[in-house]
Amino acid sequence: MANETPRFTSRLPYVIACLFGLTLFFLDITYQAFDPLDRIKINSKNYLQSGLSSLKNSFVSLQINFSDKKLLLNENKSLKEELSILSVIAQQDVFNAKLDDVSHPHRIINFDTNEYFCCSHHRMFVEKNEKFYQKGFVLNSTGLIGQIYRDHSNSYELILLSDIDHKIPIYNKYFDIYCNAEGSGFERLIICKSTKDLDKGSIIGQEFYTSGFGGVFNKDMPVGKVISFTQAEEDEYEISIEIFANPLIDERVFLFQSS
Amino acid sequence: MSVREIIVIYSSITFAIILDSLFSIKLGSVFFDTNFSYLIFSYWVFAAPEKIRVSQSILIGFLVDFLSNSAIGFHITLYCLFSLIIHAYAYTFRLFSYLQLAIFFGTSASFISAMFYLFHHPLHYSYLDIFIYWITSMILWFPVYFGMRRFRQNFFYA
């Protein structure tokens, strides 16, 4: 009869370790017990990203310091920045935001695009400037992308409209639909649940605007247009809305204090 | 374990986490993901089972939890579970062919990825993605195995 394969350790410590891991996992998933640890991770990651970016910029400027390209590059950079400011100013009537509110754009220091494409948490971190924001909404040159979520030591954490935990009060005046659209967890897609049975042909393509409830977003800011209308339950319908704005377009965003 | 061995093992795991973030890309409707961190961890357990025991499995699991986007405890649990399985069959694995090893380690890597999506992002759980992880993990086992073996021979016992 063959001997049993010898083992390096007994099974008991592994079983205890697995139970320990499961307990930590349960505490984190249910009660967010390790939130302070998460904040440490975010802050250190943002400091690192910011430092690396500054180092890269100073290296690039040192490299081109003696070349003729320097002026052109600087001009190109400032023109790009001006253009994005102008595009936001041009949208100010549409977004009911005041010109005085347009501060210098905030540079994105950390945006996990893998997380944006693969997963449901769509967060962005932008550097701070002299202005302080408690709550407010975020625009880029393509439109409304989200709102300020948390204040970190060196950055603002923004939650995008498509994040699974985000909700935005929106309406459509032609069909008189008001709802809290939830982020779908998929890129540029939010879901509005309604009890109204609507004609699928006429609702598709309709535009939705912010209703102004909730105190974060101004009223009548364009959000997106309907791309599908399906029955979820017996008396509940799901309206899928494609968001107009694309958070991947710009390197900088504009924060606005809620009025 | 000596300090040198700890540095070698933990730096290879950290390097694997960086590789995971670099090689995750969206191709059309499929999200291409890798699990280098598990493959390298399992290589160490397979190649040096006397070095990676339960305490090291917990610490490496915690490191992966902390540096990746998963909840604390997720990788600790699964790394301890697979560490136990690899330890239990350590000598049996020595009789396996390279292909059999690739099938076992590729399947366990894709199992961890599947569990990750199931618990953290259930809306993004896709059988097609899991199937692609399974195939890529099996293929990636070969470079990980031969690369890490060379790395271990040069640095671990040097």
Side-chain angles (χ1 to χ4, degrees), chain B residues 19-70:
Chain B
L19 279 184
D20 280 336
S21 63
L22 289 176
F23 283 95
S24 301
I25 42 168
K26 197 182 181 193
L27 296 169
S29 61
V30 175
F31 189 77
F32 182 80
D33 206 357
T34 56
N35 200 347
F36 279 108
S37 48
Y38 170 74
L39 289 177
I40 288 180
F41 164 75
S42 58
Y43 171 80
W44 283 117
V45 183
F46 167 72
E50 73 285 0
K51 306 281 181 191
I52 311 277
R53 289 172 192 247
V54 66
S55 54
Q56 295 302 327
S57 303
I58 292 173
L59 287 174
I60 293 172
F62 177 77
L63 179 75
V64 177
D65 279 336
F66 183 71
L67 293 179
S68 65
N69 292 319
S70 66

Side-chain angles (χ1 to χ4, degrees), chain B residues 19-158:
Chain B
L19 279 184
D20 280 336
S21 63
L22 289 176
F23 283 95
S24 301
I25 42 168
K26 197 182 181 193
L27 296 169
S29 61
V30 175
F31 189 77
F32 182 80
D33 206 357
T34 56
N35 200 347
F36 279 108
S37 48
Y38 170 74
L39 289 177
I40 288 180
F41 164 75
S42 58
Y43 171 80
W44 283 117
V45 183
F46 167 72
E50 73 285 0
K51 306 281 181 191
I52 311 277
R53 289 172 192 247
V54 66
S55 54
Q56 295 302 327
S57 303
I58 292 173
L59 287 174
I60 293 172
F62 177 77
L63 179 75
V64 177
D65 279 336
F66 183 71
L67 293 179
S68 65
N69 292 319
S70 66
I72 300 290
F74 177 78
H75 285 100
I76 295 175
T77 310
L78 290 172
Y79 279 23
C80 286
L81 178 72
F82 281 105
S83 176
L84 170 65
I85 295 169
I86 298 165
H87 271 103
Y89 296 99
Y91 289 120
T92 315
F93 281 131
R94 302 277 159 94
L95 304 172
F96 275 25
S97 67
Y98 292 138
L99 184 67
Q100 285 172 312
L101 286 175
I103 291 170
F104 173 78
F105 289 107
T107 307
S108 48
S110 57
F111 174 79
I112 289 177
S113 298
M115 287 294 112
F116 174 79
Y117 282 99
L118 196 61
F119 283 107
H120 293 83
H121 308 286
L123 290 173
H124 290 265
Y125 187 86
S126 148
Y127 286 106
L128 177 65
D129 285 357
I130 302 300
F131 180 71
I132 292 168
Y133 300 153
W134 182 52
I135 301 291
T136 47
S137 299
M138 283 194 292
I139 295 167
L140 285 175
W141 170 253
F142 291 102
V144 166
Y145 177 76
F146 292 110
M148 285 303 294
R149 192 165 69 167
R150 174 154 288 200
F151 176 72
R152 183 168 63 97
Q153 285 162 354
N154 288 340
F155 296 100
F156 199 62
Y157 298 122

Side-chain angles (χ1 to χ4, degrees), chain A residues 14-41:
Chain A
Y14 284 95
V15 174
I16 294 169
C18 286
L19 290 174
F20 169 70
L22 276 177
T23 311
L24 294 184
F25 182 57
F26 173 76
L27 288 173
D28 200 12
I29 288 275
T30 318
Y31 303 109
Q32 281 84 43
F34 299 101
D35 206 38
L37 201 67
D38 202 39
R39 274 181 170 255
I40 292 171
K41 184 174 90 174

